Amino acid sequence: MLQLIIKTLLIIFILIGVICIFDARSLTKRFFGFGDQNEGASGLKILGFIIVMISGIVLIFLSK
């Protein structure tokens, strides 16, 4: 049961990371007041990529 809950949370983290990657520019406009939106969007894409990679690796090792 605990393993199912952890897998569900990891899948939700992967979903959040993918949303950060694809909607980085609109999220940067909406939530942050950066002068340079390209910098903010790049940072959000990098953060989303890191979240997806870490969550995916943990999910793979957890399902073995």
Side-chain angles (χ1 to χ4, degrees):
M1 183 67 180
L2 182 64
Q3 195 172 20
L4 180 66
I5 293 170
I6 292 173
K7 284 182 181 181
T8 306
L9 286 174
L10 288 172
I11 291 172
I12 290 171
F13 283 148
I14 291 172
L15 179 67
I16 290 170
V18 170
I19 289 171
C20 283
I21 292 171
F22 286 113
D23 292 336
R25 190 160 306 275
S26 63
L27 289 174
T28 305
K29 284 181 190 177
R30 190 178 311 151
F31 293 117
F32 304 114
F34 291 138
D36 187 16
Q37 287 183 353
N38 291 333
E39 229 176 89
S42 296
L44 206 55
K45 285 182 181 185
I46 292 170
L47 179 69
F49 181 75
I50 291 171
I51 290 172
V52 168
M53 287 296 117
I54 291 173
S55 299
I57 289 170
V58 172
L59 188 64
I60 288 171
F61 284 123
L62 194 62
S63 63
K64 284 188 176 183

